[in-house]
Amino acid sequence: IEADPNAKLAVGLQQAELQISRNQFEQALATLNHLRELQPRHPYVLYLLSRLYRQLGDWQALKGLVDDLRRLRGVPREQLDSADAEATRHLLEAAGKAGDAEAVRRLWKSLPRALRRDPQLVVAHARALDACGLHEQAVDELLAAIDRQWDPALVEELGRLHPQDPMRVLGHAERWLKDHGNDAVLLRTLGRLALLAELWGKARRYLETALDLAPEPETCRLLGELLERLGEQDAALACYRRGLALAATEGPPKLPSGPREVSREEAISQSPTLTLLGQ
């Protein structure tokens, strides 16, 4: 039995599962790495490794796992791209916090071209650039991305940056009004940019219109601060109160559900990428 590779694998998988359940993560990692040497593409080994990397928050290891699978070929690209995107988002955030612009550049370059157009990754990249002090590069990336493909998340992120020349960015963003004039996110972003440019009247018009289209606490806050600046204390207080009421009715945010657990039998019968993502 000891010489039977399948028996060794089964025992090793049981051992890794037990170690993970006991939070013995270092031992589990050693066990799974050994099993991966025996069978590099075994579905359940890859699933447990990806699950362990997520529990450890070892996004570099998860990205390395994806890179290895890309080289093995024969694995559906969509599944690998999803795991790659998840790992890269976390790594970009960490590189931004560390102010490591070179790491941000390497991470972005490592992504397949198609993933560099993913809105969540574009936002993560822009935030990392901004955190590294590359503010104008972050702004220009978002402007170009929005020009290519409209996405409210990108527009929202643009409004959170602080360009050196807000008038330039405002002028560019106002071109989008032709096709998206009733988009509250765009109007709020234009309001933010007008505030940075100290165009108080324009900022007020944009924020008031955004609030009429979609009453949201953040828009109330921005408008309230502007009204305070303009000396309209009663109107500002009313705006803040409205924002608080809106926030109270929104309730707590829904937490995203994690990947479901996969049985060993199910994983073995499926492709490696399905188990890699825990889907």
Side-chain angles (χ1 to χ4, degrees):
I1 296 177
E2 290 184 4
D4 184 350
N6 290 329
K8 282 186 176 181
L9 181 66
V11 171
L13 287 171
Q14 287 180 336
Q15 183 180 14
E17 288 173 329
L18 184 62
Q19 289 166 335
I20 291 174
S21 70
R22 293 177 175 176
N23 294 332
Q24 296 173 341
F25 297 136
E26 288 187 14
Q27 296 92 323
L29 187 58
T31 300
L32 290 170
N33 281 332
H34 175 65
L35 294 177
R36 192 179 174 201
E37 289 176 4
L38 297 176
Q39 294 202 32
R41 299 190 67 173
H42 190 277
Y44 200 61
V45 172
L46 296 175
Y47 166 69
L48 288 179
L49 267 175
S50 66
R51 176 180 155 194
L52 183 58
Y53 291 150
R54 284 180 171 94
Q55 285 182 277
L56 293 171
D58 193 342
W59 305 109
Q60 191 66 59
L62 180 59
K63 187 168 177 64
L65 181 62
V66 171
D67 291 342
D68 288 346
L69 284 171
R70 286 194 192 280
R71 285 191 287 272
L72 285 174
R73 300 180 180 277
V75 179
R77 192 187 68 188
E78 307 80 45
Q79 302 293 328
L80 292 176
D81 283 353
S82 177
D84 199 356
E86 179 186 11
T88 303
R89 283 197 302 272
H90 287 280
L91 291 170
L92 283 170
E93 182 181 0
K97 286 180 179 178
D100 191 342
E102 177 58 26
V104 172
R105 186 195 67 79
R106 285 198 309 269
L107 282 165
W108 193 244
K109 191 176 180 181
S110 75
L111 286 171
R113 186 181 299 273
L115 280 184
R116 290 184 222 166
R117 292 176 175 251
D118 178 272
Q120 288 187 325
L121 282 168
V122 173
V123 166
H125 187 219
R127 286 178 181 173
L129 290 171
D130 191 58
C132 291
L134 302 173
H135 310 301
E136 296 309 296
Q137 189 176 337
V139 168
D140 289 341
E141 166 147 338
L142 287 173
L143 290 174
I146 297 166
D147 281 341
R148 282 194 307 266
Q149 182 177 1
W150 183 261
D151 188 279
L154 300 180
V155 178
E156 184 74 59
E157 190 63 27
L158 178 66
R160 297 185 183 280
L161 299 181
H162 292 79
Q164 292 179 357
D165 185 0
M167 284 292 293
R168 173 184 76 89
V169 183
L170 178 61
H172 188 126
E174 284 179 327
R175 300 177 201 163
W176 302 325
L177 284 169
K178 180 179 178 181
D179 296 320
H180 304 281
N182 290 325
D183 189 308
V185 174
L186 172 59
L187 291 164
R188 181 168 61 230
T189 289
L190 293 173
R192 288 182 190 272
L193 291 169
L195 287 172
L196 291 174
E198 299 185 356
L199 301 174
W200 312 128
K202 179 172 278 197
R204 181 173 187 167
R205 288 193 297 275
Y206 281 137
L207 292 173
E208 287 178 341
T209 306
L211 198 55
D212 287 340
L213 288 169
E216 294 185 17
E218 178 64 6
T219 312
C220 288
R221 182 187 69 79
L222 291 167
L223 183 56
E225 290 178 355
L226 173 58
L227 292 171
E228 268 196 296
R229 179 185 288 272
L230 296 175
E232 300 182 30
Q233 302 300 328
D234 291 341
L237 184 58
C239 206
Y240 289 139
R241 285 174 175 165
R242 186 180 181 188
L244 288 173
L246 288 169
T249 58
E250 285 183 352
K254 278 184 79 173
L255 295 175
S257 58
R260 69 175 178 86
E261 292 297 316
V262 178
S263 69
R264 195 181 314 155
E265 293 76 14
E266 182 183 2
I268 291 171
S269 69
Q270 294 178 352
S271 72
T273 48
L274 287 178
T275 56
L276 170 65
L277 296 175
Q279 294 182 341

